[in-house]
Structures are given as C-alpha cells and as structure tokens.
C-alpha cells in the first residue's frame, strides 16, 4: 500500500497562525524597546552625574577666575604681597587659598573706598582675614558669615559684633577716637578714622579668640 494512503490531511487555521506570529513579533518588539530603554537609563545614569560634575567644575573655575580678577584689581601693585600672605596662611592653617583671596579682596574693597591708602588697606585686610578664621573657629561659625559681620561693623553696622561679645556704641567709639588723638572725637572724625576706631575696638574685644584657628 502506498505511504500516501496513511497521511491524514490536517486543516490549518491560518487566522490563528497569523495571530500567533503577530504576538511573537510584538514580544520581540517589546523586548527590543525594553533593552533600548535600559540602555538609555544606563547612559543617563552615567552621563547625568558626569554632566553635573562638569558644570560644577566649570562654575568653580569661573568663580576662582573672578575672585583672582577682583583680587588683582583691588590690590594693584600690592597683589604680590597679598598673594604671599594668602599662600602662607592657607598652608599654615589649612584653608582654601581661593576663599582667602575672596576675603582679602572684599575687605580691601571696603577699606580703600573709606579713604585708606592701599598699603594700609592691605595690612587691615590681613588682620581681619586672620580674625575671620579665628572667630569662625572660636564660635563654630561659617567663615563667610563672620567675614560679612566684620565688614559690616567696619562701615558702621555695630550690631553685627554683639554675637562675638563686642559692643560698639557712640560712647566707646567716641572715646577711642579721642585716644587716637582725633579732636572732638566723632564730631570731627573722618570715615577712615571712625573705621580705624571700630577696628581697634574689635581687635581689643576679640583677644580671647585670636589665634584660635
């Protein structure tokens, strides 16, 4: 008997076959999309922090460049002397040289407009920068906050010194001006003389903290 006589015809439902093929195709598509999404997520997980790090690096570099530009502008021919102080202090106390330049530049830009010679401003800026570090260490405060308080007190906002235990008022300011030889005290004092008197009172009132850093 011929073999073909034993073959049983099978009826194939082409609709179900097509549906099955579409399901398989969709599964492969979903798998492909999933892998693609995973790849994008992995890429984002790696590149996003690197992008943020790059931006922070650029910001820091830009900040340092701006600080250096101001530092050179306010100290002019004394920039070398000011930089020597910054480097020595940064190494001795272990502070960021850029932060110290920022403090020095801000203070110098306060003293010179008050009428001090640039050389005097440099010496006062050195003194107050060191005092900033000492008071911050002594009082467990942020150095930038301390520096802003000192700067504010020098120009006449005496209240900022109360948190450091230093009282500046009309009476002791007038007495200090008289001690400095300013005739009639506050009445005839220049802004530079008043600033000098405030600085003297501040230095005297913070003796316990000096050297703490």
């Amino acid at each position: 008997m011929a073999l073909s006589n034993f073959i049983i015809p099978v009826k194939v439902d082409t609709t179900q076959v097509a549906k099955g093929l579409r399901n398989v195709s969709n599964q492969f598509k979903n798998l492909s999309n999933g892998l693609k999404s995973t790849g994008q997520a992995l890429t984002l997980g790696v590149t996003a922090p690197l992008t943020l790090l790059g931006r922070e690096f650029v910001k820091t570099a830009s900040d340092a460049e701006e600080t250096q530009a101001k530092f050179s502008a306010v100290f002019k021919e004394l920039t070398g002397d000011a930089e020597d102080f910054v480097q020595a202090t940064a190494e001795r106390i272990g502070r960021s040289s850029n932060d110290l330049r920022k403090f020095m530049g801000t203070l110098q830009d306060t003293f010179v407009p008050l009428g001090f010679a640039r050389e005097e401003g440099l010496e006062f800026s050195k003194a107050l920068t060191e005092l900033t570090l000492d008071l911050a260490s002594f009082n467990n405060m942020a150095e930038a906050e301390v520096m802003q308080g000192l700067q504010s007190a020098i120009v006449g906002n005496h209240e900022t010194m109360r948190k450091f235990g230093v009282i500046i008022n009309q009476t002791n300011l007038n007495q200090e001006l008289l001690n400095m030889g300013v005739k009639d005290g506050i009445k005839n004092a220049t802004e530079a003389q008043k600033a000098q008197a405030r600085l003297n009172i501040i230095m005297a009132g913070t003796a316990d903290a000096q050297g703490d850093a």
Side-chain angles (χ1 to χ4, degrees):
M1 183 182 291
L3 184 61
S4 59
N5 292 334
F6 291 97
I7 297 176
I8 301 173
V10 179
K11 185 178 180 180
V12 178
D13 188 342
T14 57
T15 301
Q16 292 299 320
V17 172
K19 183 177 180 181
L21 290 174
R22 283 197 299 271
N23 288 337
V24 172
S25 176
N26 288 336
Q27 288 176 11
F28 273 109
K29 185 182 293 184
N30 290 336
L31 177 61
S32 176
N33 289 337
L35 291 174
K36 183 178 180 181
S37 298
T38 301
Q40 290 174 341
L42 288 173
T43 300
L44 181 61
V46 173
T47 59
L50 290 177
T51 299
L52 292 174
L53 182 62
R55 289 176 181 172
E56 187 62 28
F57 178 80
V58 170
K59 182 179 181 298
T60 300
S62 177
D63 180 63
E65 185 177 350
E66 290 175 1
T67 297
Q68 183 63 61
K70 179 177 180 178
F71 187 79
S72 300
V74 297
F75 286 108
K76 296 190 183 301
E77 70 277 4
L78 301 174
T79 299
D81 292 339
E83 181 63 25
D84 288 343
F85 170 82
V86 165
Q87 293 299 328
T89 304
E91 182 177 351
R92 175 168 55 88
I93 303 181
R95 294 295 189 277
S96 162
S97 57
N98 191 57
D99 286 347
L100 296 182
R101 286 190 203 96
K102 191 175 295 185
F103 297 158
M104 289 278 288
T106 297
L107 291 167
Q108 180 76 346
D109 200 29
T110 301
F111 285 117
V112 173
L114 284 172
F116 290 97
R118 212 167 292 277
E119 292 80 1
E120 290 178 304
L122 171 59
E123 296 308 314
F124 293 150
S125 295
K126 289 179 182 178
L128 281 191
T129 295
E130 288 191 328
L131 184 60
T132 292
L133 303 178
D134 289 334
L135 285 176
S137 174
F138 191 75
N139 295 284
N140 193 28
M141 294 174 63
E143 292 169 355
E145 180 184 354
V146 174
M147 193 278 296
Q148 290 171 359
L150 290 172
Q151 179 194 23
S152 186
I154 290 297
V155 298
N157 184 10
H158 302 155
E159 289 298 314
T160 63
M161 293 309 300
R162 288 183 179 273
K163 57 190 170 186
F164 304 115
V166 179
I167 305 300
I168 305 176
N169 52 39
Q170 291 296 95
T171 300
N172 63 3
L173 181 62
N174 186 66
Q175 185 58 55
E176 182 59 32
L177 285 163
L178 292 173
N179 294 342
M180 291 166 52
V182 179
K183 186 178 179 180
D184 295 329
I186 292 177
K187 184 177 179 180
N188 291 326
T190 64
E191 290 305 312
Q193 289 170 331
K194 292 176 186 177
Q196 173 72 70
R198 293 179 188 116
L199 179 58
N200 293 346
I201 294 171
I202 289 170
M203 297 303 291
T206 57
D208 288 345
Q210 291 170 29
D212 193 79

